[in-house]
Structures are given as C-alpha cells and as structure tokens.
Amino acid sequence: LPSDTEEQFATMLAENLNSYDVVIVTDFGHGLISDATVSLLNREARFLAVNCQTNSGNHGYNLITKYPRADYVCIDGNEARLACHDKYSGLEEILSNQLPNIIECDRMIVTQGKHGCLTLDHPGRLNHVPTFTSSIIDTVGAGDAFFALSAPIAALGAPMPIVGFMGNVAGAMKVGIVGHRTSVEKVPYIKFITALLK
C-alpha cells in the first residue's frame, strides 16, 4: 500500500481492534497486510485468528511465518510445508514438531482436503478429524468456509478436535455449492451436524 493509505489503515485498526473479541485475518498476500500491520494485530487483537494463504499470485512469498504469534492458525498442508521448507515429512511431523518452533501459537489446524484435518493444541496433542462428505461439486471456498466457522469456535476455547469437526462440517457443505452461489447458512449447518450425530 502507499504509505498514506497504510497509515489510514493502521489508524482504523488501532481505533477498532480492542472493540472485538475475535479478529479474523484472512491474508491473501496481495499487499494489504504489511509487517507493521502484523505487529499491530499482534499487539492489539484480543484473540488473533490467522489464515495466511498461498496462491498463484504469491506462491512462496506469503507464509504463516510472517506472523510471529497468533491465538489460532488454520492453513492447508501445502502452506504448512512451505512455511517449514519441508516437502517430504509427514504433516503430523510438520504440525506437531516444526510449526510450533516457527510461530508462537497454541491452537493450530492443517487442512488436508478430502483427507480431513489435523488439529494441534499444546503440549503436542495431535488429532485427526475426517471429512464428512464424498460428494464434491466444487472445492472453491471450502478452506475459507472452514476457517470462518472454526475461528470463533476456537476463540470460545472449544477442544481442538471439536474446532476441526465444526470446520470440516462447513467445508463439507461448501464443496456441495458451485462457486459462491450461496453461503454456508446457519440452519442447514445445524441440521448437518444433527444428522452426523444421530
């Protein structure tokens, strides 16, 4: 951002961050969030939830490592591997032993698409949560839905396997929607969970 725009953005954040219980940062790596903004978020957010995405426009340049700490991190397997510079180790090893040495965060999830997700809470409790659908129409936005629904639940202090479960429900619903025709809505979300628990 131009320096004057970045200053306006920082002022707006500084004036508002303390008013919210949870600050959800979806960092797409397009230049909005600078190092100074990250520092401000780290200082002022009561509960900082971060999803730092790798995509074709920023591959290798927008890693979770730009955030020295967070209260909840949710990234996919490829993003976790890039952050650790490790192409071959199992994601269990990366999540339980490598990522905690890079970012100060007690609650992390690595999503794995059709293979579900891995959750971690310290000290080193790793859990696998499976997916809840085999019917996939479109994967666009599934990770975003996962993060959007799981972050507030993580902020409430729910056990990480529950956070992963709730996120996977959102992801399972989103892969049944073409593009962004509709969102994951509350009533169908609750019905989906109820059906799973019967």
Side-chain angles (χ1 to χ4, degrees), residues 14-160:
E15 290 172 352
N16 290 286
L17 285 172
N18 285 328
S19 301
Y20 295 91
D21 296 325
V22 183
V23 175
I24 298 175
V25 176
T26 304
D27 185 341
F28 291 101
H30 299 318
L32 176 66
I33 301 174
S34 67
D35 291 343
T37 302
V38 170
S39 295
L40 179 62
L41 291 165
N42 270 262
R43 280 194 318 272
E44 301 296 332
R46 291 183 195 173
F47 187 96
L48 180 61
V50 180
N51 172 246
C52 192
Q53 295 191 11
T54 292
N55 55 51
S56 60
N58 67 34
H59 193 74
Y61 297 99
N62 193 55
L63 304 176
I64 194 64
T65 54
K66 75 191 268 190
Y67 294 86
R69 68 144 221 100
D71 298 294
Y72 172 58
V73 163
C74 179
I75 54 178
D76 70 23
N78 185 50
E79 291 158 349
R81 290 184 182 285
L82 285 167
C84 296
H85 308 287
D86 189 334
K87 185 176 180 180
Y88 300 107
S89 295
L91 286 175
E92 294 84 356
E93 159 68 19
I94 287 172
L95 180 56
S96 61
N97 294 319
Q98 295 182 37
L99 276 175
N101 292 325
I102 296 172
I103 181 170
E104 181 186 330
C105 183
D106 289 340
R107 301 164 69 76
M108 291 191 259
I109 289 183
V110 171
T111 60
Q112 303 177 90
K114 66 180 180 180
H115 300 294
C117 69
L118 293 170
T119 71
L120 178 76
D121 57 342
H122 288 283
R125 288 182 297 235
L126 190 69
N127 290 283
H128 174 259
V129 182
T131 56
F132 301 118
T133 186
S134 58
S135 176
I136 299 170
I137 295 172
D138 189 352
T139 60
V140 170
D144 299 320
F146 183 111
F147 180 55
L149 270 289
S150 65
I153 296 164
L156 286 172
M160 288 306 289

